[in-house]
Amino acid sequence: MAFLIDPQELKPGLILFRRADVQHRNWYCRIKVPGSDRYKTVSLRTADVTSAREAAFDADADPEQLQAIEAGAPFRRLVERHGAMEITEVRRQRDDWQRTATRELATGRTQAAIERYDAAGAIHGHDTREDARRALVTDWMADREGQPAASQMLLAYTRADVAELNRLARETLRTAGKLGPDQTVDTANGERAFAVGDRVMFLRNERSMGVKNGTLGTLTALDRSSIVVRLDDGRNLRFDRKEYADLTHGYAATIHKIQGATVDRVYVLASRYMDRHATYVAMSRHRHAVKLRYGRDEFARRELALDLGAPRPTNPPNNTLPRGSPFGILPETSKDKRRQR
């Protein structure tokens, strides 16, 4: 392909490359589809080659990660029919015991992985879900101040929890004097308050700007007509508020949104809607550390690992919620059935 530049074969069937037909310098990878001569192309959303190599080896083509929301799950059907090369070498985590935990999560041994993180002091219970949310933001702020150069992300399963984590993060930064004055911005999802110093997430691909759905950055200037963001890839981007309005706060994200990404430190709010696939993704995004907090009003401690490791049924009944639901999908699992008894 003429547009493919700087190609690197990481292993047979896995090629890292940049594109000559786009303005940004982000990396992509091509993954051979098992049992076929076709390749799948994945955007890695980073211009850093080390991060790109890690992401390329990660499980964009791993059927144990989050399943397709729409009907079909075509990659899983290909794997079931033809088989697949499995990634047995974990490259993202730095510590051997965390790599072992990731392999356990990838192979459905969720309880063993959760127990491993629990023994390391990374799992914490609280009286309520609200207490767990606030404690996660406290963790996040302490690490932000202690290691300001490290990348971070708060994770939750539902959009409602993400919105609350974003609110708490901004409240904490505001108290610490880390944000400028709020200005109301008309976004594609309604009015939002933004300030200089805010973390922001782009929600729509825009080739002319070199941003994609999920691109992150820090807001450095804001006036009545324009916004300036220092993107995490190092670029400074100025754009007209009326021409691009698909923005949200970027302190927290849903587990679905963060799939395929790598950050230094991750903070997970456990939810009864998580199955083993969501747990695998949430607990394997980090390089250095992950913390998971939960509310005892939602989980009994002895059932936490069992609940987070519950499989999703092949054909869950009524799993699609009405449009506008904060969940996206709500699979019925063994944990829901236990609560109905």
Side-chain angles (χ1 to χ4, degrees), residues 23-287:
Q23 293 182 348
H24 61 74
R25 298 288 292 165
N26 286 353
W27 290 93
Y28 295 78
C29 71
R30 300 192 74 213
I31 302 171
K32 192 175 188 301
V33 176
S36 169
D37 292 331
R38 295 184 298 108
Y39 279 78
K40 164 182 173 176
T41 299
V42 177
S43 172
L44 302 176
R45 299 182 181 179
T46 180
D48 178 71
V49 68
T50 300
S51 298
R53 288 192 184 110
E54 291 178 349
F57 277 107
D58 190 39
D60 283 286
D62 182 349
E64 284 304 314
Q65 290 206 39
L66 290 173
Q67 306 301 288
I69 292 177
E70 69 278 6
F75 184 76
R76 177 167 289 280
R77 289 207 305 270
L78 280 170
V79 170
E80 290 170 348
R81 183 177 301 174
H82 302 291
M85 292 182 295
E86 295 184 3
I87 298 172
T88 57
E89 182 180 358
V90 177
R91 294 169 178 259
R92 177 179 282 119
Q93 285 74 49
R94 297 294 187 251
D95 294 336
D96 288 342
W97 71 268
Q98 292 185 359
R99 292 172 181 167
T100 298
T102 295
R103 284 190 289 269
E104 289 168 341
L105 290 164
T107 53
R109 293 175 288 164
T110 307
Q111 186 168 352
I114 293 298
E115 290 174 352
R116 196 177 297 278
Y117 276 106
D118 189 22
I123 310 291
H124 303 275
H126 301 267
D127 290 340
T128 67
R129 183 181 186 78
E130 176 60 24
D131 290 342
R133 273 196 296 254
R134 289 189 175 277
L136 273 182
V137 174
T138 298
D139 294 335
W140 168 85
M141 186 63 178
D143 289 341
R144 177 188 173 101
E145 292 180 332
Q147 296 180 305
S151 57
Q152 301 172 286
M153 184 59 71
L154 294 150
L155 292 185
Y157 191 81
T158 72
R159 295 175 197 153
D161 279 329
V162 167
E164 181 62 12
L165 287 168
N166 273 323
R167 186 192 70 79
L168 290 170
R170 295 193 78 241
E171 179 183 272
T172 302
L173 290 173
R174 174 77 61 203
T175 300
K178 303 294 185 180
L179 296 180
D182 274 346
Q183 294 189 45
T184 300
V185 175
D186 290 324
T187 76
N189 295 310
E191 292 186 345
R192 296 280 172 88
F194 287 93
V196 171
D198 260 328
R199 291 287 289 168
V200 297
M201 179 183 289
F202 293 77
L203 299 176
R204 175 172 59 85
N205 296 348
E206 180 50 61
R207 182 175 173 180
S208 65
M209 294 168 54
V211 298
K212 293 182 175 292
N213 182 2
T215 296
L216 290 164
T218 301
L219 200 154
T220 58
L222 174 64
D223 58 34
R224 291 184 177 181
S225 62
S226 65
I227 295 175
V228 181
V229 175
R230 185 178 66 253
L231 302 179
D232 285 358
D233 65 10
R235 290 180 294 138
N236 286 307
L237 178 66
R238 178 185 290 272
F239 55 95
D240 191 294
R241 287 168 53 163
K242 293 182 179 179
E243 293 182 0
Y244 191 98
D246 297 85
L247 292 174
T248 191
H249 298 115
Y251 305 103
T254 63
I255 297 170
H256 275 88
K257 175 73 74 175
I258 207 69
Q259 184 171 201
T262 300
V263 294
D264 292 326
R265 295 181 177 274
V266 172
Y267 313 84
V268 182
L269 178 67
S271 165
R272 69 185 181 90
Y273 300 106
M274 291 168 64
D275 60 11
R276 69 182 176 91
H277 304 289
T279 303
Y280 170 29
V281 173
M283 299 295 289
S284 62
R285 299 305 91 198
H286 62 286
R287 289 191 184 93

Side-chain angles (χ1 to χ4, degrees), residues 158-160 189 320-329:
T158 72
R159 295 175 197 153
N189 295 310
T320 303
L321 295 181
R323 186 177 297 275
S325 160
F327 302 103
I329 55 174

